[in-house]
Amino acid sequence: MASPVAPAGGTRNGASPEWGGFEENIQGGGSAVIDMENMDDTSGSSFEDMGELHQRLREEEVDADAAAAEEEDGEFLGMKGFKGQLSRQVADQMWQAGKRQASKAFSLYANIDILRPYFDVEPAQVRSRLLESMIPVKMVNFPQKIAGELYGPLMLVFTLVAILLHGMKTSDTIIREGTLMGTAIGTCFGYWLGVSSFIYFLAYLCNSQITMLQMLALLGYGLFGHCIVLFVTYNIHLHALFYLFWLLVGGLSTLRMVAVLVSRTVGPTQRLLLCGTLATLHMLFLLYLHFAYHKVVEGILDTLEGPNIPPIQRVPRDIPVAGLPIAVLNATAKVVALTLQPH
Amino acid sequence: MAEADERTVGETATKPGFLGLSDVSISEDIPVEGEITVPMASHSQDEDYSTLDEPVKETIIRDLKAVGKKFVHVMYPKKSNALLRDWDLWGPLVLCVSLALMLQGGSADSKEDGGPQFAEVFVIIWFGAVVITLNSKLLGGTISFFQSLCVLGYCVLPLTVAMLVCRLVLLAGMGPINFLIRLIVVIAMFVWSTLASTAFLADSQPPNRKALAVYPIFLFYFVISWMILTFTPH
């Protein structure tokens, strides 16, 4: 590789070794182009350059190559190899860190621009889509349109988080808010993203025509029904009312999603699988949101009532602890008395 | 001779012409070089306001005045750009910390502690502000990231006042009238916060999308005011 350049490099080889080493120190973590330049400078010892290449490719062979270089040019080249390796590692690390930071910052801004088209909506559009999310359309033969938009779904998820929080707070018990707030955010976003991905995966298996973006929008707008049901039933604690709303409102929004999915899937088995899974998950999620926090509330009620019982349990446990020093004192007193007696 | 005279006369006649031209080109009426000292003259006045050699006290007082002026702007939300023009994050930091400290319940170990912890309030305020800002950017708002954070942070001021009132009212003890007072105060301050931040931020949005940008702001202040209303010390 370096042989064509060897004569040119050989002429200035007498003065170059230090410069070569210096350059390598600077450009340790560079790209392949810089490698070629380095090769030009140190081409007098082409054997060592081959060693450098191997070093880059397989680091475990470093020692052997350095030994080979030492055989040829003595102590200096070995030292140089060590230096180059060290500087390369440091430069590599710095470069990696810098690259990570830069790519993170860049991807944030890039993502903003990438996401902007999905937020390109008018208030009237959002309103009509919210209403449409409650109206199932019975059109199976032709694929129904799904608006690929993320503003509505994102705001609905945030609203659901706020409603869950409201529900937790309106319950008579005092709840440790922070953990439940984290739970609320995690639950809502987890459901939205998780179920969307899962259904998208199923849709891929069932060969239905839907993209991830459409799935996110569909499921996101499907949460509108959940928001209504939970907002009403967290304020009016009636189980019958909840079940009515669950079937009516939750059922309508679920039916809407099912109708869209059916229109975009071919084959009865696939339709049954896909829509059955989605409907089950969606309806059960609403049930879960309504009752899980009741359960949490009951659990906390138990722990709040707890302090009435533990003192009774703690009494027998406390006695030996309290009695122990007295017993010890008695024992020590006896010992002291015994030791004092002979005197 | 006459020809020569004529030539010389002609030369003398042309010479002034050239001279005149050269005079025009280098004349002081039309400055070709440009007056470099003119903009410097206005700069020299700015140098009087140099903050390098002033006492620290003055710097702090000036910054506090700037923060205080913005507080006034929030309390009297006019169509003003003062909050947007020179943003700072000191006011939001102070408001956020004081709100979080007041919302802080008892110790973290006690089971009865219903108050949110300091870090939670802190994170909710900043995370919520960041989400609103990103949302407004995504909707096509013409506002910088920190300007929006500044406005949203300063508009927490009414809610901090509401928290202060709630704590004072709670000193008197619990009761339905007590709760009613707190409810009214919190709702009023919530509306105030939302209106103030909307007044500052709505102009940066495309006119047809104001409702979309305002909704998350409403939600954000609603959650904070809900936390304030349900706060009960133990």
Side-chain angles (χ1 to χ4, degrees):
Chain A
M1 267 176 95
S3 54
V5 204
T11 54
R12 48 176 179 165
N13 200 22
S16 67
E18 277 197 8
W19 288 102
F22 181 60
E23 271 195 24
E24 263 196 353
N25 274 343
I26 294 175
Q27 296 166 339
S31 61
V33 180
I34 295 167
D35 277 352
M36 294 303 285
E37 281 176 8
N38 281 347
M39 249 183 261
D40 288 351
D41 274 346
T42 57
S43 57
S45 56
S46 61
F47 197 51
E48 199 239 347
D49 287 330
M50 293 304 289
E52 294 276 331
L53 271 179
H54 278 281
Q55 215 172 34
R56 186 146 305 172
L57 293 175
R58 289 168 292 177
E59 289 219 341
E60 59 263 32
E61 284 189 13
V62 161
D63 289 340
D65 287 328
E70 260 182 61
E71 273 178 23
E72 196 180 59
D73 224 346
E75 195 181 329
F76 172 71
L77 281 177
M79 191 60 196
K80 185 185 157 195
F82 175 69
K83 266 188 188 171
Q85 191 188 354
L86 192 71
S87 64
R88 194 176 302 127
Q89 275 186 355
V90 170
D92 255 347
Q93 274 181 1
M94 285 180 66
W95 191 66
Q96 288 288 339
K99 189 185 164 193
R100 220 176 295 129
Q101 291 281 332
S103 66
K104 208 183 282 176
F106 178 75
S107 69
L108 181 69
Y109 273 103
N111 282 342
I112 283 179
D113 276 338
I114 289 167
L115 286 175
R116 200 160 279 163
Y118 308 132
F119 285 75
D120 188 19
V121 280
E122 304 283 320
Q125 281 177 320
V126 174
R127 210 180 306 130
S128 64
R129 279 172 197 163
L130 283 178
L131 284 177
E132 280 166 14
S133 75
M134 305 297 296
I135 304 164
V137 182
K138 199 187 167 192
M139 181 177 67
V140 181
N141 301 322
F142 193 74
Q144 291 181 26
K145 208 174 168 228
I146 309 171
E149 170 236 332
L150 289 180
Y151 173 84
L154 208 61
M155 285 306 131
L156 276 173
V157 171
F158 277 119
T159 313
L160 193 61
V161 169
I163 289 173
L164 279 189
L165 207 66
H166 168 85
M168 294 161 190
K169 289 293 241 174
T170 40
S171 53
D172 296 331
T173 43
I174 300 145
I175 293 167
R176 304 191 107 203
E177 185 185 354
T179 46
L180 283 185
M181 183 168 281
T183 316
I185 291 176
T187 311
C188 297
F189 271 97
Y191 174 75
W192 183 45
L193 297 175
V195 171
S196 293
S197 326
F198 179 62
I199 297 291
Y200 177 66
F201 174 66
L202 271 187
Y204 175 73
L205 290 185
C206 297
N207 207 12
S208 68
Q209 299 171 349
I210 195 163
T211 63
M212 187 66 196
L213 175 69
Q214 285 173 327
M215 196 60 234
L216 281 175
L218 187 68
L219 192 70
Y221 275 111
L223 288 175
F224 183 52
H226 284 31
C227 287
I228 294 175
V229 173
L230 290 176
F231 184 70
V232 172
T233 53
Y234 276 145
N235 289 314
I236 306 164
H237 298 282
L238 272 177
H239 281 303
L241 187 77
F242 169 71
Y243 283 121
L244 186 71
F245 265 69
W246 179 64
L247 280 178
L248 209 70
V249 182
L252 273 179
S253 67
T254 310
L255 263 185
R256 152 85 185 174
M257 292 200 295
V258 164
V260 171
L261 276 183
V262 162
S263 74
R264 286 175 167 262
T265 316
V266 180
T269 319
Q270 285 91 332
R271 281 176 177 175
L272 190 66
L273 178 67
L274 198 59
C275 300
T277 315
L278 180 63
T280 315
L281 281 175
H282 204 61
M283 295 299 271
L284 283 180
F285 182 60
L286 186 49
L287 267 186
Y288 164 76
L289 285 185
H290 186 77
F291 286 110
Y293 293 112
H294 277 269
K295 231 176 187 178
V296 167
V297 168
E298 279 164 15
I300 285 171
L301 265 175
D302 284 345
T303 54
L304 281 179
E305 281 166 5
N308 297 333
I309 309 159
I312 303 164
Q313 292 173 337
R314 210 177 288 149
V315 168
R317 220 190 307 144
D318 283 352
I319 286 172
V321 177
L324 193 65
I326 299 163
V328 169
L329 265 180
N330 284 345
T332 45
K334 271 180 188 171
V335 168
V336 168
L338 282 173
T339 47
L340 284 177
Q341 257 182 356
H343 292 286
Chain B
M1 195 60 199
E3 272 188 31
D5 271 346
E6 265 188 25
R7 209 166 49 200
T8 49
V9 165
E11 277 181 13
T12 48
T14 49
K15 256 185 188 171
F18 277 125
L19 278 176
L21 269 176
S22 62
D23 269 347
V24 164
S25 64
I26 318 171
S27 79
E28 291 171 11
D29 306 338
I30 306 166
V32 179
E33 303 93 0
E35 291 280 312
I36 300 172
T37 49
V38 169
M40 289 300 286
S42 64
H43 263 291
S44 65
Q45 264 197 340
D46 280 343
E47 278 166 17
D48 295 340
Y49 298 115
S50 166
T51 56
L52 274 178
D53 51 351
E54 73 177 9
V56 177
K57 200 179 91 180
E58 279 181 29
T59 313
I60 291 174
I61 285 176
R62 187 159 35 81
D63 287 349
L64 282 181
K65 266 183 191 166
V67 171
K69 213 181 279 174
K70 282 171 196 158
F71 280 168
V72 173
H73 271 297
V74 172
M75 282 323 224
Y76 295 100
K78 295 171 288 188
K79 292 275 180 188
S80 156
N81 285 328
L83 273 178
L84 296 177
R85 204 170 48 238
D86 40 325
W87 55 267
D88 68 271
L89 295 178
W90 285 112
L93 182 72
V94 168
L95 287 174
C96 178
V97 167
S98 51
L99 184 66
L101 278 177
M102 280 192 283
L103 272 174
Q104 172 93 342
S107 67
D109 299 330
S110 61
K111 285 276 183 195
E112 295 103 285
D113 174 25
Q117 297 304 310
F118 181 86
E120 296 156 17
V121 180
F122 202 82
V123 166
I124 285 164
I125 289 179
W126 288 109
F127 178 71
V130 166
V131 165
I132 292 170
T133 306
L134 284 182
N135 177 59
S136 74
K137 293 271 294 183
L138 285 172
L139 286 173
T142 56
I143 194 169
S144 89
F145 186 78
F146 287 109
Q147 279 178 334
S148 174
L149 274 192
C150 167
V151 169
L152 289 170
Y154 269 106
C155 290
V156 176
L157 176 67
L159 290 173
T160 312
V161 172
M163 186 66 226
L164 201 65
V165 172
C166 281
R167 277 217 96 131
L168 289 177
V169 168
L170 277 170
L171 285 180
M174 310 271 271
I177 302 165
N178 191 317
F179 178 77
L180 203 67
I181 293 171
R182 282 191 294 149
L183 183 71
I184 290 168
V185 168
V186 168
I187 286 177
M189 292 305 181
F190 160 64
V191 172
W192 198 330
S193 284
T194 312
L195 285 183
S197 58
T198 310
F200 290 117
L201 288 179
D203 282 343
S204 69
Q205 290 294 326
N208 49 352
R209 286 191 192 161
K210 273 180 190 168
L212 298 181
V214 168
Y215 178 69
I217 297 176
F218 162 81
L219 207 62
F220 171 65
Y221 289 121
F222 179 77
V223 168
I224 295 179
S225 52
W226 188 253
M227 273 162 47
I228 292 170
L229 184 62
T230 52
F231 171 77
T232 43
H234 281 275

